[in-house]
């Protein structure tokens, strides 16, 4: 079983002595999660185990990154099950703090990155990325890993974390890990458990729409508007898609691409299948899995 | 002579091996400064030397915390002189990075603490505390000290740093150090060098005004408005005081005190003597030095 810590002070003490032992050469890999671990998380863990002497997984549903009316209360939680997954994957340390331990008082800090935290997910979920940034910085300060692993499924979050690391000189290597998909292409996500059977089937339209965009790109279409419209139409062709928040293309600096799409640009989508909000993205130039 | 580092990578390597040597018990004290060291800085250094195995002083005039029209260009700089002061005080390590080293690209992060970074100094210097927070977090991530020393002269800045440490679970003890004053009571500040002889004399009105507030408090006056008005009048009685930005009283949570002043509250003032902007503060209940 992985070693389970509930308290900041205790995991700090444990990691401090680990870090300095072995002639100060021990490396720590960190996989921050909100639990309810799935195959995407397993992939993050495997990458960490390949590159580090010790792998720490945090499991914490961070209230700060949920807005009013979002799914904080219903977000799936099952620590027993998560510990089993961690054991199967050979995780060394699990950090599963309580709310009191993480936020003895409510943080007042607001962290914004204009042009990044206020667009797309940030525009639809005001305060979300400030909450993400706060908890990620806290966890980084508690774990002080050498490397931290983030899935590309939450692509904008990855960009925010990369920017924090750069702007604040954080001595951690951020390792992006490609999105892990189910056999029918749906991106692995804890929120997939919200989907009823019919909705789960309908959600495959997302991956099909991303592939359509890639196919258009491969066959020479470069106009961003044309590609976005095709994707939007494809998504809306599915009756259970009740709302599309955005279909957008950004360049590698996360600037909205409004003219010619280039290889390396990212298509980002957010939509509701029934009442379940899902996001996904695609890098132009990638091949279907 | 203290060991001088100009590069982030080099000081990191040096401190990493220091930290882990001596059975992982070595402690690092950190005094962040903008250079042009004075007796206030000397006091910070002395405190650090008492409590730590190694003392690091950073010298960096941080462009991010200066607004347009402020004194970034004219801020006094003299590295040779600063190194001599550091040697006299027995500083072990000086970190004096170039702008390129600190900001290879311009940071985009904005850090706000509503109710703290947007009032008083924050209201008069928009963006100032976001710039302070950014550079302090960077320096903390580069030095990773056990303790960091901040003067109470910049009281609001101290509060911002304490809040960052709390909100972000930064494993650093912030040590506040009481304001060091010249013989006539003027708070030590690098900006005092801007004062012409006449202005330097006129600037003593600040300390006299703070003492007046304490005297009123000691003799039973508790009404915040009465005390603030008396201080304002005292400041404006000096002809070379060309403008008073604010005279304000805050409680220990930095909430504006608009009724009864309590022991432990802080009187904060900002004003111009000639063209030189100075700040100072006083804790009600303290005794004159």
């Amino acid at each position: 079983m992985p070693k389970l810590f509930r308290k900041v002070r205790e995991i700090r003490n444990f990691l401090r002595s680990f870090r300095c032992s072995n002639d100060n050469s021990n490396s720590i890999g960190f996989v921050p999660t909100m639990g309810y671990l799935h195959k995407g998380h397993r992939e993050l863990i495997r990458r960490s185990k390949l590159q580090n002497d010790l792998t720490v997984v945090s499991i914490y549903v961070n209230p700060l990154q949920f807005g009013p009316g979002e799914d904080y209360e219903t977000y799936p939680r099952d620590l027993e099950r998560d510990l089993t997954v961690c054991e199967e994957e050979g995780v060394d340390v699990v950090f599963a703090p309580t709310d009191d331990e993480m936020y003895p008082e409510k943080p007042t800090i607001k962290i914004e990155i204009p042009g990044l935290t206020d667009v797309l997910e940030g525009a639809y979920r005001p305060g979300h990325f400030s909450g993400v940034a706060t908890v990620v910085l806290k966890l980084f300060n508690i774990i002080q890993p050498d490397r931290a692993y983030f899935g590309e499924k939450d692509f904008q979050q990855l960009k925010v974390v990369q920017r924090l690391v750069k702007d604040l000189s954080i001595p951690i290597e951020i390792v992006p890990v490609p999105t892990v998909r189910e056999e029918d292409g749906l991106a692995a996500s804890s929120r997939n458990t919200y989907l009823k059977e019919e909705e789960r089937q309908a959600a495959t339209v997302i991956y099909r729409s991303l592939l359509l965009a890639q196919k258009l790109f491969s066959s020479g279409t470069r106009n961003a508007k044309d590609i976005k419209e095709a994707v939007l139409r494809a998504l809306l062709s599915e009756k259970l898609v009740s709302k599309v928040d955005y279909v957008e293309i950004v360049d590698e600096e996360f600037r909205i691409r409004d003219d010619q799409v280039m290889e390396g640009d990212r298509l980002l989508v957010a939509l509701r299948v029934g009442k379940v909000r899902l996001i996904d993205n695609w890098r132009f130039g990638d091949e279907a899995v």
Side-chain angles (χ1 to χ4, degrees), chain A residues 34 60-67 72 77 99 102-103 131 135:
Chain A
M34 298 212 300
Y60 180 62
V61 183
N62 170 39
L64 276 197
Q65 70 190 69
F66 290 81
Y72 173 65
R77 294 159 169 91
D99 287 336
M102 281 298 275
Y103 300 120
V135 81

Side-chain angles (χ1 to χ4, degrees), chain A residues 2-289:
Chain A
K3 210 164 160 48
L4 173 65
F5 290 94
R6 295 295 220 153
K7 301 230 177 261
V8 172
R9 182 180 305 205
E10 288 168 7
I11 192 167
R12 267 194 176 134
N13 286 340
F14 175 82
L15 292 175
R16 185 177 301 133
S17 58
F18 176 81
R19 200 174 288 114
C20 277
S21 60
N22 209 355
D23 201 22
N24 184 23
S25 76
N26 274 337
S27 65
I28 297 173
F30 177 44
V31 179
T33 83
M34 298 212 300
Y36 220 74
L37 304 178
H38 51 63
K39 58 202 277 192
H41 296 116
R42 286 183 193 261
E43 184 61 23
L44 301 177
I45 293 167
R46 285 169 200 165
R47 297 283 178 115
S48 173
K49 284 188 63 74
L50 282 174
Q51 294 186 293
N52 302 281
D53 298 306
L54 185 99
T55 290
V56 179
V57 171
S58 69
I59 297 176
Y60 180 62
V61 183
N62 170 39
L64 276 197
Q65 70 190 69
F66 290 81
E70 290 187 1
D71 56 344
Y72 173 65
E73 278 79 16
T74 55
Y75 197 88
R77 294 159 169 91
D78 188 342
L79 184 58
E80 285 300 307
R81 185 178 161 285
D82 289 339
L83 288 173
T84 305
V85 172
C86 286
E87 182 169 24
E88 285 167 10
E89 297 298 336
V91 170
D92 303 289
V93 171
V94 170
F95 178 53
T98 58
D99 287 336
D100 276 356
E101 193 62 19
M102 281 298 275
Y103 300 120
E105 48 188 295
K106 199 181 173 191
T108 49
I109 191 171
K110 302 291 169 206
I111 300 171
E112 302 295 337
I113 302 166
L116 185 52
T117 59
D118 50 358
V119 299
L120 302 179
E121 281 302 283
Y124 280 87
R125 305 183 65 188
H128 169 64
F129 286 122
S130 181
V132 168
T134 303
V135 81
V136 165
L137 292 176
K138 280 179 87 82
L139 290 168
F140 282 1
N141 282 320
I142 293 165
I143 310 296
Q144 298 187 288
D146 297 278
R147 297 181 191 84
Y149 297 80
F150 288 84
E152 291 186 354
K153 200 277 231 158
D154 298 303
F155 186 73
Q156 195 172 352
Q157 169 178 280
L158 168 65
K159 287 300 203 184
V160 168
V161 172
Q162 287 175 324
R163 178 45 70 178
L164 289 178
V165 164
K166 202 175 257 186
D167 283 358
L168 301 180
S169 304
I170 298 171
I172 299 176
E173 180 191 347
I174 302 303
V175 183
V177 178
T179 302
V180 174
R181 299 182 179 281
E182 304 296 341
E183 289 205 357
D184 59 9
L186 183 66
S189 165
S190 306
R191 288 191 169 98
N192 292 349
T193 57
Y194 293 147
L195 296 166
K196 292 170 198 145
E197 200 180 323
E198 221 186 0
E199 293 166 340
R200 172 66 188 76
Q201 177 52 37
T204 58
V205 72
I206 305 171
Y207 187 59
R208 282 182 277 119
S209 303
L210 300 182
L211 290 186
L212 168 66
Q214 176 57 37
K215 198 174 151 201
L216 288 168
F217 181 79
S218 299
S219 62
T221 308
R222 286 291 181 278
N223 184 283
K225 193 157 164 278
D226 293 346
I227 295 176
K228 290 191 285 183
E229 277 181 8
V231 169
L232 182 60
R233 260 197 310 276
L235 289 171
L236 291 172
S237 72
E238 168 52 59
K239 281 190 196 101
L240 291 177
V241 170
S242 51
K243 186 167 181 294
V244 176
D245 280 349
Y246 57 80
V247 172
E248 200 50 86
I249 297 170
V250 297
D251 68 13
E252 299 194 45
E253 304 296 309
F254 216 84
R255 286 174 297 225
I256 301 293
R257 177 71 86 186
D258 51 13
D259 47 357
Q260 297 287 95
V261 177
M262 312 263 284
E263 180 164 335
D265 285 0
R266 255 315 136 165
L267 172 68
L268 302 153
V269 303
L271 64 153
R272 279 173 201 274
V273 179
K275 288 181 176 169
V276 183
R277 190 172 184 280
L278 299 172
I279 62 174
D280 204 342
N281 68 84
W282 185 265
R283 182 186 174 282
F284 286 102
D286 277 0
E287 284 174 36
V289 278

